[in-house]
């Protein structure tokens, strides 16, 4: 159960590790950072709430411990309350089970301010196969994971892939849309620029079908990770009232395999 639990939370954990403040922010009032998902997978679900710090301060975001957190399943008209876990700004759901096609509305209240976000869980798209392919990178042969899946035809789909190797999250995101591949069978390599797969590595891939707002967030985050001379921009949040972060309802599939 532990590897699956880790997979489901991986998008949240990895995004929390990335400092996304604009490099021009030297001294500013702290802002709220909210990150969390509702999925079709195991519960509980988590919302993480922190505050920003000055850019030149340590990359440690103070947790917010006094928030009121709820998620409304507006499709079923049911309200769910989250409780603080006592660690690192994480709030956990109680009795909420995500469903494809349902719309979820997050409300966070902190120090008299209210922040909201809305997300609808897209249709489930499953991984049909996980393979390993050889590729040459900088004159070295590397082994990369490749996932094959069927993109639904005549609808717009957005995906975010994440990866674990030996149950350790790989700190990269892979955001993909089907603008040029609608209705096709897709074989997607997951490029690894600082590591590669070795014999007997246990590889887990998470495919999350997401809405456009969540895709935009991770697409910018993905672009920032490859930025060099350019100034990274803050990923576009779908949370109101100037908060950073994102809230998403995601249909998730998880596949694992050992490279022999």
């Amino acid at each position: 159960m532990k590897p699956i639990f880790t997979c489901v939370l991986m998008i949240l954990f990895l995004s929390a590790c990335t400092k996304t403040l604009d490099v021009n922010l030297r001294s500013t009032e702290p802002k709220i950072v909210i990150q969390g998902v509702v999925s079709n997978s195991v519960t509980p679900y988590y919302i993480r709430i922190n505050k920003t710090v000055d850019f030149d301060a340590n990359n440690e975001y103070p947790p917010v411990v006094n928030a009121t957190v709820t998620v409304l399943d507006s499709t079923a008209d049911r309200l769910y309350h989250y409780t603080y876990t006592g660690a690192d700004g994480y709030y956990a759901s109680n009795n909420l089970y995500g469903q494809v096609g349902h719309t979820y509305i997050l409300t966070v209240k902190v120090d008299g301010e209210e922040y909201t976000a809305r997300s609808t869980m897209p249709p489930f798209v499953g991984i049909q196969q996980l393979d390993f392919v050889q590729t040459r990178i900088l004159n070295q042969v590397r082994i990369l994971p490749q996932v094959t899946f069927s993109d639904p035809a005549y609808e717009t789909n957005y995906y975010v892939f994440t990866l674990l190797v030996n149950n350790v999250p790989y700190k990269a995101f892979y955001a993909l849309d089907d603008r040029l591949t609608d209705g096709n069978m897709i074989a997607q390599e997951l490029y690894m620029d600082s590591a590669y797969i070795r014999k007997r590595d246990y590889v887990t891939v998470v495919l999350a079908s997401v809405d456009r707002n969540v895709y935009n967030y991770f697409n910018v985050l993905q672009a920032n990770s490859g930025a060099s001379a350019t100034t990274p921009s803050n990923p576009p949040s779908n949370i109101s009232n100037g908060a950073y972060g994102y809230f998403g309802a995601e249909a998730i599939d998880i596949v694992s395999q050992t490279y022999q």
Side-chain angles (χ1 to χ4, degrees):
M1 179 62 69
K2 183 177 180 181
I4 295 177
F5 180 77
T6 304
C7 289
V8 173
L9 297 180
M10 182 171 51
I11 295 175
L12 173 58
F13 289 157
L14 294 185
S15 61
C17 295
T18 304
K19 193 177 182 77
T20 60
L21 295 182
D22 191 309
V23 294
N24 292 322
L25 295 179
R26 292 299 174 181
S27 179
T28 184
E29 289 295 320
K31 299 193 72 171
I32 293 292
V33 182
I34 301 172
Q35 301 169 94
V37 300
V38 171
S39 79
N40 61 320
S41 193
V42 295
T43 61
Y45 310 125
Y46 291 86
I47 302 295
R48 189 180 189 185
I49 308 174
N50 299 79
K51 288 188 176 181
T52 63
V53 295
D54 287 347
F55 177 78
D56 47 8
N58 291 332
N59 191 16
E60 297 178 0
Y61 296 122
V64 174
V65 302
N66 62 333
T68 300
V69 181
T70 61
V71 170
L72 172 67
D73 180 341
S74 66
T75 305
D77 194 25
R78 294 190 63 181
L79 183 67
Y80 299 89
H81 295 268
Y82 281 57
T83 56
Y84 186 56
T85 65
D88 299 327
Y90 284 100
Y91 293 75
S93 62
N94 182 25
N95 300 324
L96 170 59
Y97 296 91
Q99 298 183 60
V100 167
H102 283 218
T103 297
Y104 298 91
I105 301 173
L106 169 70
T107 301
V108 173
K109 297 180 180 179
V110 180
D111 299 331
E113 296 289 339
E114 182 173 292
Y115 308 88
T116 62
R118 174 190 297 262
S119 184
T120 299
M121 190 180 298
F124 173 84
V125 176
I127 297 174
Q128 296 191 6
Q129 192 168 331
L130 171 59
D131 298 306
F132 300 96
V133 297
Q134 288 189 354
T135 187
R136 184 171 291 275
I137 302 174
L138 299 178
N139 294 322
Q140 293 183 348
V141 175
R142 292 187 176 181
I143 304 299
L144 300 179
Q146 176 180 274
V147 289
T148 302
F149 63 98
S150 179
D151 179 77
Y154 308 113
E155 62 183 63
T156 303
N157 298 95
Y158 303 97
Y159 307 102
V160 175
F161 299 88
T162 42
L163 176 69
L164 291 91
V165 179
N166 299 321
N167 299 324
V168 177
Y170 179 69
K171 294 185 177 181
F173 303 100
Y174 311 87
L176 178 71
D177 66 25
D178 67 348
R179 182 171 55 89
L180 301 178
T181 56
D182 180 58
N184 292 347
M185 187 69 69
I186 300 174
Q188 178 68 29
E189 288 185 12
L190 304 182
Y191 176 74
M192 304 173 70
D193 62 355
S194 60
Y196 54 93
I197 305 300
R198 302 171 184 265
K199 292 286 187 180
R200 294 182 292 280
D201 278 346
Y202 184 72
V203 177
T204 298
V205 175
V206 182
L207 185 163
S209 296
V210 301
D211 65 20
R212 182 176 181 178
N213 288 328
V214 174
Y215 165 80
N216 288 339
Y217 180 90
F218 283 98
N219 192 39
V220 172
L221 197 63
Q222 174 180 257
N224 285 350
S225 68
S228 54
T230 59
T231 299
S233 59
N234 295 318
S237 176
N238 65 336
I239 302 172
S240 71
N241 203 11
Y244 291 131
Y246 80 103
F247 170 72
E250 306 174 353
I252 289 175
D253 193 22
I254 303 171
V255 174
S256 299
Q257 185 171 316
T258 300
Y259 174 57
Q260 303 293 345

